[in-house]
Amino acid sequence: MYKKIISFVMALASLLTYTSCMDNENIEYVYDDDSAITAFTLGNVQFIAGKKKLTGADSIVSRDYSSYKFQIDQLGGRIYNVDSLPLGAMASKVLCSVSAINAGVVGLKGIDNDTVKYFSKTDTIDFTKPRTLIVYSNSGLGFRRYSVEVNVHKQDGNAFVWQQMPALPEEMRNLKGLKLYSAGTHLYVTGNSAAATATDNLIYSAPAANPTAWTRQTTYTATEAWPDPVSNGSNLYILYKKGVSTMGSATNGAAPTDIDNTTALTRLVGATPSRLYANIEGRGLVSAATGATAMEWSDESTDGDDVALFPTLGTACVTLPLATNKDTYQLIAVGHNSGDKHSSVWSKIEDGNSRQAWMLYPEEDYNHMRLPAYDNLQLGAYNGNMIALGNYNNKAPEAIYRSVDKGLTWQKDTLMALPKDLNTNGTVAFTVDSNNFIWIVCGDTGQVWRGRHNFLGWARPQEIFETKPKK
C-alpha cells in the first residue's frame, strides 16, 4: 500500500513540475502542505421504479440528490449523510462531487484492494460498502484519509407497522372501564374489578420494554373515588379519596404516594410538566403546581362560556408542546355531555405563570368532521398531531381518528389502520409512549398491540462537527 501511495504522489509531483516549466521561470510558486476535504455532495442516484411490462426487467430511474446534506467529521475522518437516502436507492451506482482545500488532489481507494486512482465526478462509485477517499496536498507532502458512507434506508419510513405483543394476564382481561396510560418508562392499566360486587378499582403496571411483567400496584375500595387518572408523560396522577396521589417518578412502577388529601376534587382533567388540572364541585375548573406536597388550587377561567358546559362524559385530555415557545403547552380536553352526538373540544395555552382562559371550540353545523361522542375515549399526541380512539357500548372501535388542527376537525386515519387481527368484543384502550409507539390493549381477549411509523424509530446521529481540521 505504501509503494502505491508513493507512486501516486510522484505522479502528482511530476505533473506539478511540468506545469511550472510552462510558466515564466521568474515566477516562484509556494505549495501548501495542508490537505482536507471541505465538501461532499451527491449527483444523480438510480432507483428501481418497478418492472418493465414487456421484458420483466427492472425499470431504472435517475434522481438528483445534490441537495442531500453530508456531514464531515474532520477529526474522525468520516463523511456520511444523517438523513439516509430513500428505500430503493441503488448505492452501487452513485455520482458524487468532492471539494478539497487548496485545490488538493483526491484519490479513491479500491473497494476490495489497495489500488488508488484519481477521483472523477463523472464515474459512478459503488457505495454499498464504506469507501476510502485520500486527499493529497498540492505540495505532494501531506495527505488525509476519509471513510465515506452513503446511508440508505432499509425500511419505508412512511409505513406504519403493528406488532402483536404478549397478551394481558387473565386477571386483567375483564376489567370494566379499562384505560391505558404511559408515564416514564412504564405502561399503566386501570379499571374496575370484574367481581360480582365490582367494588375494587385496580392499577397494574409493566415496563414498556417488557410488557409481560404486569404488577398490581394498588387496590381501591368502593368508598374511594375513582375518576380516571391523568399523565404528564413523566408521572401518573390519581384521584384518591378525592385527593391526589402520584406514582412517584413512574420509572419503576412504584406504588402511589399521597401529595394532597386536603382538597375534595371531583375528577382530574389533565396535566403538564408544571401544573395539574381538575374539577372541583361548586368551583368548576381549578389548577395547582405539581411537585408540591400541599397543592394550592386556584380557579381557572373560561373565555365567555359557562364552565358548566365543560364535558363530564367520555373525557380525555392531551398536552402538546408548542414549537414556538419553550416550556409552553397547549392542553386540549375532549368529551361530551348526556345526549350529545359529538364531542366538544376545549383548549388552553399554558405559558409559565400566564393565566390564559379555557376556550370552547365553535360547534358549527357545517363542521362535518367532528369527533363522535365515544363512551370510552382516550387521546394521544403522536408525530405532532392528536389521535383518538374510543368505542360505543363495548363494541370494537372502527378506526383511529386524527386531528391536524388541534382538535377542530377529525378524520379516520387510513395510514394507521387498526391491526387486521384485532380481536375484541369489549373495551379497547390505547396510549402513546415516549418512544412514539401507539399501544392498544383489549379488555376481553387480552390482546396487546404496538405500532408506529418506521421513521419515528430512526436514531439521529451527531450532526455538528468541525468543518476544517485543526492545524
Side-chain angles (χ1 to χ4, degrees):
M1 177 63 186
Y2 177 77
K3 293 181 178 179
K4 293 180 179 180
I5 292 177
I6 291 297
S7 300
F8 189 86
V9 173
M10 290 179 65
L12 172 63
S14 299
L15 177 61
L16 294 173
T17 302
Y18 175 78
T19 303
S20 65
C21 292
M22 299 294 291
D23 297 329
N24 190 319
E25 294 183 0
N26 294 325
I27 299 177
E28 186 174 321
Y29 293 92
V30 177
Y31 298 103
D32 201 308
D33 294 338
D34 285 347
S35 60
I37 290 176
T38 57
F40 181 95
T41 57
L42 295 181
N44 287 339
V45 179
Q46 295 183 348
F47 286 78
I48 299 177
K51 298 289 185 180
K52 295 181 179 179
K53 291 183 179 180
L54 295 179
T55 64
D58 290 336
S59 176
I60 306 298
V61 297
S62 183
R63 301 172 187 169
D64 180 21
Y65 275 86
S66 59
S67 62
Y68 251 59
K69 185 177 181 181
F70 275 75
Q71 304 293 336
I72 301 179
D73 177 4
Q74 298 287 2
L75 298 179
R78 285 186 64 211
I79 301 174
Y80 64 95
N81 52 324
V82 175
D83 292 325
S84 298
L85 295 176
L87 180 71
M90 299 175 65
S92 59
K93 297 180 179 180
V94 177
L95 291 173
C96 59
S97 297
V98 178
S99 299
I101 191 173
N102 298 323
V105 176
V106 180
L108 174 66
K109 179 179 171 295
I111 192 169
D112 292 318
N113 54 60
D114 293 331
T115 302
V116 179
K117 66 178 183 178
Y118 287 107
F119 168 82
S120 173
K121 66 179 182 180
T122 60
D123 294 337
T124 60
I125 300 176
D126 184 356
F127 279 109
T128 54
K129 299 179 180 179
R131 300 299 302 271
T132 299
L133 290 177
I134 306 174
V135 56
Y136 300 89
S137 65
N138 53 31
S139 69
L141 299 178
F143 67 91
R144 287 172 59 87
R145 298 172 182 269
Y146 294 84
S147 176
V148 184
E149 304 165 27
V150 176
N151 298 312
V152 179
H153 282 306
K154 296 178 175 60
Q155 297 175 321
D156 179 0
N158 292 321
F160 189 93
V161 180
W162 287 106
Q163 177 185 7
Q164 188 166 6
M165 308 299 287
L168 295 176
E170 190 69 33
E171 64 177 298
M172 298 175 61
R173 297 185 184 183
N174 294 318
L175 290 175
K176 300 176 182 179
L178 182 74
K179 290 292 182 71
L180 178 64
Y181 301 89
S182 171
T185 60
H186 277 60
L187 300 173
Y188 294 87
V189 169
T190 67
N192 304 109
S193 170
T197 56
T199 58
D200 290 336
N201 303 305
L202 311 176
I203 297 179
Y204 295 82
S205 73
N210 181 28
T212 58
W214 289 97
T215 302
R216 183 189 291 191
Q217 293 298 328
T218 189
T219 301
Y220 297 116
T221 65
T223 59
E224 298 165 333
W226 182 258
D228 295 324
V230 296
S231 170
N232 66 357
S234 298
N235 298 285
L236 188 72
Y237 296 95
I238 304 155
L239 195 59
Y240 175 55
K241 293 183 177 179
K242 293 194 175 182
V244 178
S245 294
T246 179
M247 302 303 282
S249 65
T251 57
N252 58 359
T257 301
D258 292 350
I259 58 175
D260 177 18
N261 56 9
T262 60
T263 306
L265 302 174
T266 305
R267 63 186 171 126
L268 300 179
V269 173
T272 68
S274 58
R275 295 193 74 80
L276 189 63
Y277 295 82
N279 279 136
I280 185 170
E281 188 173 354
R283 290 173 58 186
L285 285 165
V286 294
S287 68
T290 58
T293 55
M295 305 180 76
E296 296 182 4
W297 296 91
S298 56
D299 293 330
E300 289 284 303
S301 61
T302 56
D303 188 14
D305 297 297
D306 189 345
V307 72
L309 295 176
F310 203 86
T312 58
L313 302 174
T315 56
C317 184
V318 68
T319 300
L320 300 175
L322 295 186
T324 54
N325 299 80
K326 184 180 179 181
D327 298 327
T328 303
Y329 303 90
Q330 182 171 4
L331 291 95
I332 302 171
V334 179
H336 65 278
N337 293 307
S338 179
D340 291 344
K341 293 183 179 180
H342 297 95
S343 295
S344 60
V345 181
W346 291 71
S347 176
K348 172 192 172 67
I349 301 294
E350 180 187 281
D351 183 8
N353 295 321
S354 174
R355 307 297 296 171
Q356 298 190 33
W358 285 86
M359 178 188 69
L360 174 64
Y361 284 10
E363 301 178 356
E364 306 292 348
D365 292 336
Y366 61 78
N367 184 359
H368 300 293
M369 301 176 68
R370 296 172 61 189
L371 187 67
Y374 285 120
D375 295 330
N376 190 56
L377 176 69
Q378 286 197 271
L379 299 178
Y382 181 76
N383 193 28
N385 298 320
M386 293 174 58
I387 56 175
L389 187 68
N391 56 314
Y392 299 109
N393 300 322
N394 290 334
K395 294 182 180 179
E398 53 184 350
I400 293 176
Y401 278 79
R402 177 170 58 95
S403 174
V404 299
D405 51 15
K406 307 298 179 63
L408 183 62
T409 60
W410 299 81
Q411 57 183 336
K412 297 177 182 178
D413 196 311
T414 57
L415 297 179
M416 293 191 294
L418 292 171
K420 294 181 180 179
D421 297 326
L422 184 70
N423 181 16
T424 180
N425 293 314
T427 303
V428 175
F430 98 107
T431 192
V432 182
D433 70 13
S434 59
N435 292 315
N436 298 307
F437 279 113
I438 299 174
W439 292 83
I440 294 178
V441 297
C442 302
D444 55 344
T445 62
Q447 281 191 350
V448 179
W449 293 87
R450 185 183 73 172
R452 70 179 174 190
H453 287 91
N454 286 330
F455 75 91
L456 291 175
W458 293 341
R460 297 189 65 86
Q462 183 177 355
E463 296 186 25
I464 300 177
F465 298 102
E466 294 187 32
T467 57
K468 294 183 180 180
K470 293 182 179 179
K471 294 185 178 180

